[in-house]
Amino acid sequence: MLLFWRHGFESTSLSELTAAMGITPPSLYGAFGDKKALFFEALDRYLSGPVTSTSIIADAATAREAAHDLLRVSARGFTGKHTPPGCLLASSAISCSDAATDVKEQLATIRRGIEQRLRKKIAHDIDHGILPDHADATALAALTMAVIQGMSTLARDGASRDKLLKIVESTMQAWPA
């Protein structure tokens, strides 16, 4: 997972993967089928855990809290001491060949799903008077996702956690009270 996160799907070589896993290429093929299947397994691992975007959105009392938590968790995760900078979802297949179109599409589907869940929570809060009627659920969810992806790029460029957390707070000022 860390190799794909650091180098991207296509740039991570089979020799790097087998060396990191301590196995031979035939063992990799026997266990996973191919590099793409291994990538999808790594992606599943990346997306699982005690705190996920799904749990953050579902567990938040309000959409504003969900967005704030998504942004803060992202800022922290993108600047972890034991992980590559940035986000595996945002950077592992940004520029892939046509042979990896399905990888790019799977990552885009995951990102769109996160945005859709947040948009639904925002729409719920608008419908229930928690957010004002003039709030735009689609725009607020897209803003949140755009900032998350932008913070991933900034982290890969060396931005500090403090800088990203300041961006989080500035972003939340765009949300209606």
Side-chain angles (χ1 to χ4, degrees):
M1 178 186 76
L2 295 175
L3 285 172
F4 286 127
W5 191 345
R6 182 172 290 113
H7 303 296
F9 170 69
E10 286 190 323
S11 295
T12 302
S13 71
L14 282 176
S15 62
E16 290 172 312
L17 291 167
T18 54
M21 294 169 35
I23 61 173
T24 63
S27 295
L28 184 144
Y29 289 114
F32 299 100
D34 61 11
K35 177 179 159 182
K36 196 176 293 185
L38 174 59
F39 175 76
F40 288 133
E41 288 286 330
L43 188 58
D44 285 344
R45 180 176 177 153
Y46 180 81
L47 293 170
S48 65
V51 178
T52 65
S53 61
T54 300
S55 68
I56 290 169
I57 294 167
D59 295 346
T62 65
R64 180 183 183 82
E65 181 183 309
H68 199 196
D69 289 349
L70 282 171
L71 289 161
R72 281 191 302 223
V73 166
S74 296
R76 288 187 203 109
F78 298 166
T79 56
K81 291 181 182 176
H82 304 291
T83 57
C87 173
L88 177 67
L89 291 178
S91 61
S92 62
I94 294 298
S95 58
C96 282
S97 70
D98 289 343
T101 299
D102 54 339
V103 172
K104 285 193 307 189
E105 184 52 38
Q106 178 65 23
L107 292 167
T109 297
I110 292 166
R111 291 189 301 266
R112 285 190 297 264
I114 296 166
E115 183 175 340
Q116 180 182 27
R117 285 188 292 281
L118 182 58
R119 184 192 54 73
K120 285 181 179 179
K121 187 152 190 120
I122 296 166
H124 173 273
D125 284 6
I126 293 168
D127 291 345
H128 289 85
I130 298 167
L131 286 170
D133 288 340
H134 70 273
D136 185 330
T138 300
L140 287 171
L143 170 66
T144 303
M145 293 302 294
V147 172
I148 288 170
Q149 290 187 46
M151 288 192 315
S152 173
T153 299
L154 290 172
R156 288 183 71 88
D157 290 345
S160 69
R161 180 175 291 177
D162 184 58
K163 179 177 184 173
L164 297 185
L165 289 171
K166 287 178 181 177
I167 291 169
V168 168
E169 297 313 314
S170 294
T171 301
M172 293 312 298
Q173 291 177 19
W175 276 67

